[in-house]
Amino acid sequence: MAQVGTEERREQVRRTLGRPGPKAGRGSARIDARPAVASSRTIAAFLVPAGLLLVLFAYYPMLRGFSDAFYNDNGTSATFAGLANFRQAFTNPLFQVSWVHMIEIGLRWVVLELTVPLAVARAIIALPSNRARTVLRTLFVIPMVVSIPIIALVWGALLAPGGPVNALLSDIGLPFLRQQWLANPHLALYSIMAIGFPWVDGFALLVFTGGLQALPREVLEAASLDGASMARTFFKIELPLISGQVRLVLVFAVITALTLITQVLVLTDGGPGNATLVPGLAIYNEAFLSSQFGMANALGLIVFAMAIGLTVAILRVGRRQ
Amino acid sequence: MSKPVVSSVVVASQGGRHARLVHWALYAGLGLLAILTLYPFVFMVETSLRSTIAFLKDPLGLPLAPRWANYETAFSKIWRFGLNSLLVTGVTTALVIVTGSTAAYALARLRFRFRDAVFYSMIAIMMVPFLVVLVPLFLWVKQLGLLNSYAGLILPYAAFNVSLAVFILRTFFGGLDESLFEACRVDGGSEWMAFWRIAVPLARPILGTVAILTALSTWNDFLWALVAVSKVRLFTLPLGEVEFSSRYSTHYGPLMAAYTLGAAPLIILFILVNRSFVESFTRAELRA
């Protein structure tokens, strides 16, 4: 009814030339985001700048890359190669090694991302003091604002043969445990994974605290009244309720593992040998060391397909509830 | 963060003394984790104040007399990178805010055919990891003659950040009450006026969030800068830090000073604005 009233008033105003209309807010009781109709020139003016940026510097290069994946492209000439690059991506032992490393890192990283930040988030939420919660949350999130190369380089110094980690091992009486953390081909990959210890990822922490905070009081009260222990409440009630957040963190963890490159590029360059070769670095090397752009694009397309496939799978599973 | 729902409900049900023990255990555990998390940064700062020789002799030692000379060395080498980063980040952020807000406004409050399709196609790129676009983007930018130029850095940064801006801002603009715009529309005001005079002032805090997110991702980006720029005088800060580390690889003193100079500004800024950032971050994330 209020709708009709406002319409009538609007029509009235339109009919009376030049008379100012009713002041905003008065009489408009509905919350209605009914969009207005504007000239197509106006609409274009609003949309085109962002659209142009996106088309020119995001979509067009992306599509060109996808098509180039089917070519043998070395920068000067490009011949059609069909699926040859994709076959190479899985038969060439070099690339095979990179996929294996990616899976090794991916599995461990996913486990770390879903356990540590979740536990920390749950612990932070349980604290009585508001100030303590804010302070702790801030502290854990600080590494998020530091650029990855700097973090990697500092860890490189920590893990250096003459660095603090080895020095600590000596000092506490375990000198035989000292290692060439980054130079030992058996340890290098794990050392890369170790960066960020104790792995309280800031993003995951924020997502989980956000989710846990929003849990409805009544459900938790009902659980405690039923005599459920903290552990049971957590696993049987809280966890399912934040499944959306868990899925989001899982997606991010997977994509991080798939596209890992910076730490490796900065610290080991895939080495020693190919001990830390990952698909991201393989893409970089194919393009910028070997000028095999077609191959690099094919690897990129494969990574993209994996990312999309896994994301869709993760967001779909369990939705059947 | 408001009242702790979980804490008051679950822990209280187990009695006062038990609750206090649990709280102390939590504080201790969380405190330890926080110390471990921040140790690398503490290490970075303390080593930056020591001479390299002192560090090599005793990597775990503390600075006896702060060696500010390390900072002089580091600063003299990386100040130019900082300026480059400032320029690139500033222009990118401005570009994203301007183009993103206008697009978001049109997508939220103007009616036109294919509106939804346009919106989804604008944000779809967020699903594509940058690594996937790195190589073709490089080849394309090279073809445009924009390698080793500020534009070659700025434009792709803007393109890849504008999607999130549009996503966040469209939600905001869409939530505005139509009545706020009625007066303007009825007065015969243009859509531009509605946008500029009404929507934008209301959006100031959320534009701030978008600006912070864009600036953060642009300032800290390494991969695109690495590939788009080869002339050292154009290096951005992350690139410069890596370059510095490869030149001064074992001069740990100045090296750590350089890293501290690179990391400290953002850490300090973050601590200052952290409350609003985290809140708007979790709000935007929850909506997603």
Side-chain angles (χ1 to χ4, degrees):
Chain A
M1 245 180 84
Q3 230 168 349
V4 174
T6 323
E7 267 306 324
E8 282 179 337
R9 213 176 303 130
R10 281 218 186 114
E11 201 47 57
Q12 206 176 20
V13 166
R14 255 178 255 134
R15 274 192 243 111
T16 344
L17 305 157
R19 274 264 311 270
K23 285 264 185 278
R26 207 189 305 159
S28 218
R30 64 201 156 100
I31 297 176
D32 183 302
R34 189 180 59 182
V37 181
S39 76
S40 33
R41 207 152 21 117
T42 317
I43 295 172
F46 274 94
L47 290 174
V48 158
L52 207 59
L53 264 180
L54 282 167
V55 166
L56 268 183
F57 293 100
Y59 286 111
Y60 176 64
M62 178 185 92
L63 292 172
R64 250 175 67 151
F66 288 167
S67 103
D68 195 45
F70 295 92
Y71 284 77
N72 212 324
D73 180 3
N74 63 4
T76 39
S77 67
T79 50
F80 186 72
L83 296 175
N85 289 334
F86 298 96
R87 222 171 293 136
Q88 265 274 351
F90 292 108
T91 54
N92 186 326
L94 190 69
F95 299 135
Q96 287 176 337
V97 157
S98 76
W99 299 121
V100 169
H101 289 160
M102 179 192 84
I103 293 176
E104 283 192 64
I105 291 181
L107 289 175
R108 289 180 176 83
W109 189 241
V110 157
V111 169
L112 285 174
E113 275 280 274
L114 289 180
T115 52
V116 179
L118 184 55
V120 171
R122 184 60 184 78
I124 287 184
I125 302 266
L127 293 178
S129 152
N130 198 11
R131 156 162 283 197
R133 286 197 301 278
T134 313
V135 166
L136 277 167
R137 203 189 52 200
T138 307
L139 291 179
F140 283 116
V141 171
I142 282 179
M144 267 180 85
V145 302
V146 181
S147 68
I148 299 179
I150 292 183
I151 293 184
L153 289 167
V154 172
W155 272 94
L158 285 173
L159 295 172
V165 170
N166 279 341
L168 180 66
L169 288 172
S170 281
D171 286 356
I172 61 175
L174 300 170
F176 49 87
L177 281 184
R178 289 181 309 168
Q179 305 288 348
Q180 303 256 19
W181 300 104
L182 289 167
N184 182 333
H186 298 289
L187 294 176
L189 195 62
Y190 298 105
S191 302
I192 296 279
M193 282 189 246
I195 295 176
F197 173 83
W199 308 295
V200 184
D201 179 62
F203 174 77
L205 183 68
L206 288 177
V207 170
F208 286 138
T209 46
L212 287 171
Q213 260 179 277
L215 292 183
R217 230 199 141 93
E218 310 83 55
V219 178
L220 299 167
E221 272 174 354
S224 87
L225 284 175
D226 274 353
S229 71
M230 270 216 289
R232 273 189 83 203
T233 318
F234 178 68
F235 285 105
K236 289 275 166 73
I237 299 179
E238 294 174 33
L239 209 49
L241 283 176
I242 57 165
S243 80
Q245 278 78 9
V246 172
R247 264 189 267 259
L248 181 63
V249 171
L250 185 53
V251 166
F252 261 85
V254 162
I255 294 189
T256 303
L258 281 174
T259 57
L260 188 70
I261 179 178
T262 304
Q263 294 89 326
V264 174
L265 196 52
V266 162
L267 282 179
T268 60
D269 203 12
N274 289 313
T276 55
L277 183 65
V278 288
L281 188 62
I283 292 176
Y284 180 86
N285 286 340
E286 281 301 300
F288 300 105
L289 294 186
S290 316
S291 291
Q292 294 298 321
F293 298 109
M295 189 67 225
N297 279 315
L299 289 170
L301 183 48
I302 293 175
V303 166
F304 177 60
M306 289 182 180
I308 291 288
L310 286 168
T311 301
V312 168
I314 291 169
L315 295 179
R316 282 259 177 95
V317 164
R319 270 290 179 79
R320 279 172 247 116
Q321 297 169 335
Chain B
M1 273 179 158
S2 53
K3 214 166 168 265
V5 175
V6 178
S7 164
S8 57
V9 170
V10 181
V11 181
S13 65
Q14 277 146 348
R17 214 179 307 147
H18 187 203
R20 252 207 309 193
L21 206 64
V22 169
H23 288 158
W24 275 110
L26 287 178
Y27 278 122
L30 288 172
L32 179 63
L33 282 177
I35 290 174
L36 287 173
T37 302
L38 293 176
Y39 172 69
F41 304 105
V42 170
F43 164 74
M44 180 180 73
V45 173
E46 72 173 357
T47 307
S48 72
L49 294 171
R50 307 174 69 203
S51 76
T52 304
I53 305 167
F55 171 74
L56 291 172
K57 266 207 269 184
D58 176 21
L60 287 171
L62 290 168
L64 296 167
R67 195 186 159 86
W68 299 108
N70 285 341
Y71 278 91
E72 280 177 39
T73 316
F75 188 79
S76 68
K77 300 273 185 265
I78 68 171
W79 67 269
R80 148 155 284 142
F81 306 137
L83 281 182
N84 284 336
S85 277
L86 208 56
L87 175 67
V88 169
T89 301
V91 176
T92 302
T93 305
L95 201 52
V96 166
I97 293 279
V98 168
T99 57
S101 58
T102 52
Y105 178 81
L107 290 168
R109 308 209 69 88
L110 303 181
R111 205 193 315 155
F112 52 95
R113 215 157 27 135
F114 306 126
R115 192 171 69 146
D116 279 351
V118 170
F119 173 64
Y120 288 121
S121 51
M122 273 192 167
I123 64 170
I125 198 79
M126 289 201 288
M127 299 263 26
V128 182
F130 185 73
L131 175 69
V132 172
V133 184
L134 178 71
V135 174
L137 184 62
F138 165 78
L139 292 171
W140 172 230
V141 168
K142 177 173 179 187
Q143 212 178 334
L144 290 175
L146 291 177
L147 284 185
N148 281 314
S149 74
Y150 287 115
L153 282 170
I154 290 169
L155 294 169
Y157 282 148
F160 276 89
N161 278 286
V162 84
S163 297
L164 182 62
V166 167
F167 181 76
I168 293 178
L169 291 168
R170 189 190 85 137
T171 310
F172 177 81
F173 286 137
L176 293 178
D177 200 295
E178 180 63 24
S179 62
L180 295 162
F181 296 94
E182 257 173 32
C184 180
R185 295 231 170 89
V186 144
D187 277 354
S190 68
E191 216 45 64
W192 170 257
M193 272 182 55
F195 169 73
W196 186 242
R197 292 271 164 85
I198 302 173
V200 168
L202 286 171
R204 225 171 275 165
I206 208 139
L207 287 174
T209 304
V210 170
I212 290 176
L213 290 173
T214 304
L216 190 61
S217 96
T218 307
W219 182 276
N220 281 339
D221 174 80
F222 171 72
L223 202 52
W224 176 240
L226 174 68
V227 150
V229 162
S230 56
K231 296 211 178 112
V232 178
R233 64 177 167 81
L234 287 170
F235 277 9
T236 55
L237 204 48
L239 213 48
E241 301 275 357
V242 175
E243 143 88 8
F244 189 85
S245 94
S246 64
R247 284 245 183 118
Y248 286 72
S249 54
T250 47
H251 295 72
Y252 288 105
L255 217 47
M256 291 297 152
Y259 302 156
T260 308
L261 285 174
L266 284 178
I267 293 181
I268 293 171
L269 261 169
F270 171 68
I271 294 180
L272 291 176
V273 305
N274 106 91
R275 169 158 277 164
S276 51
F277 168 74
V278 170
E279 273 170 13
S280 41
F281 176 91
T282 42
R283 228 177 287 133
E285 174 275 320
L286 284 173
R287 226 174 274 124

